């Protein structure tokens, strides 16, 4: 089976909210997996979506342990994934939706090469609290690193709170993920590579290797600081981060 067919299978699983089995296609190398990922994004672009940014995965030990993998990964965000704050999310559009808390950053200058940590304020002007909705397109929520990358790192939606000016010291902020005002997961921003700004550096390195440009206005989700929680109907999901703010959406 060629990689175009693999991308088509994953894309159709996304559109129809019907999971596929990894056995439906052969083992992929990591390079193959990123090729499939980009092909699935291209199918979205052909339907009129546009790239709005990028996400990092496995930037915390909690997520690595939860998913049983140990490598940093990245994927794309598109306009079709955007969830407006306080809006309702129809869970019937997803297979096995989960939510995780994030810190989002807004790019102000093009990033075309690997940048050092000290230069982050030159390229990032805003930050915000965010929720990422993740959803596997596979029948079982277990997969290899390559399977996950091919599936665009399980990215399915994102909800971003009010933008505020970038703060350079955000490495020790309490984070809570709540359902109906009940805290289900809590952690600290230091769990994100010890410094939530570090994923920006990692993304600049990884993207520049494959010639992907990070443009002004693009969003970067730095990765979760806690384990994810399953999404259930008729809940209000909230992420709250000390000194940054809170954002919520409802499920139906």
């Amino acid at each position: 089976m060629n990689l175009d067919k693999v991308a088509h299978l994953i894309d159709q699983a996304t559109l129809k909210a019907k999971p596929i089995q990894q056995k439906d296609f052969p083992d992929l190398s990591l390079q193959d997996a990123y090729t499939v990922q980009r092909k699935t994004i291209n199918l979205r672009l052909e339907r009129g979506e546009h790239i709005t940014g990028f996400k990092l995965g496995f930037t915390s030990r909690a997520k690595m342990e939860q998913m049983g993998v140990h490598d940093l990964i990245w994927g794309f965000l598109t306009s079709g994934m955007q969830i407006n704050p306080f809006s309702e999310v129809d869970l019937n559009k997803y297979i096995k939706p989960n939510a995780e808390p994030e810190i989002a950053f807004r790019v102000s200058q093009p990033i075309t090469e690997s940048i050092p940590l000290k230069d982050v304020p030159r390229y990032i002007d805003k930050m915000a609290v965010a929720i990422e909705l993740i959803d596997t397109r596979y029948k079982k929520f277990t997969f290899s690193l390559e399977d996950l990358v091919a599936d665009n790192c399980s990215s399915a939606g994102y909800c971003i709170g009010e933008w505020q000016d970038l703060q350079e010291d955000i490495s020790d902020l309490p984070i809570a993920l709540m359902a109906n005002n009940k805290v289900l997961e809590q952690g600290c921003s230091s769990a994100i590579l010890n410094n939530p700004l570090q994923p920006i550096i990692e993304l600049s390195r990884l993207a520049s290797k494959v010639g992907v440009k990070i443009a002004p206005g693009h969003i970067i989700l730095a990765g979760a600081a806690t384990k994810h929680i399953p999404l259930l109907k008729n809940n209000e999901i909230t992420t709250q981060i000390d000194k940054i703010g809170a954002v919520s959406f409802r499920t139906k």
Side-chain angles (χ1 to χ4, degrees), residues 122-206:
R122 292 177 51 194
Y123 296 93
I124 303 294
D125 65 345
K126 300 289 184 179
M127 64 181 187
V129 62
I131 304 169
E132 185 180 13
L133 191 158
I134 58 174
D135 188 29
T136 179
R137 267 58 75 156
Y138 304 125
K139 283 194 173 180
K140 296 181 179 180
F141 205 68
T142 56
F143 30 69
S144 69
L145 179 66
E146 291 78 14
D147 294 333
L148 180 58
V149 168
D151 191 24
N152 195 36
C153 305
S154 295
S155 190
Y158 64 91
C159 182
I160 295 179
E162 186 175 349
W163 292 109
Q164 59 176 281
D165 291 341
L166 177 69
Q167 302 173 32
E168 293 186 50
D169 185 8
I170 53 172
S171 59
D172 193 27
L173 304 181
I175 296 176
L177 179 59
M178 298 175 279
N180 297 331
N181 294 317
K182 180 180 179 181
V183 176
L184 300 184
E185 292 288 343
Q186 55 187 337
C188 180
S189 59
S190 61
I192 306 171
L193 294 182
N194 297 318
N195 181 349
L197 299 180
Q198 186 62 36
I200 300 168
I201 307 310
E202 301 300 329
L203 178 63
S204 73
R205 175 180 58 82
L206 294 168

Side-chain angles (χ1 to χ4, degrees), residues 101-117:
E102 299 266 353
I103 299 176
F105 298 99
R106 192 179 73 180
V107 178
S108 58
Q109 297 293 329
I111 302 175
T112 58
E113 59 185 8
S114 181
I115 63 173
L117 185 62

Side-chain angles (χ1 to χ4, degrees), residues 27-41:
D27 291 339
L28 301 171
S29 68
L30 188 57
Q31 182 177 349
D32 286 342
Y34 275 111
T35 298
V36 170
Q37 178 194 104
R38 189 57 193 260
K39 288 179 179 293
T40 65
I41 295 301

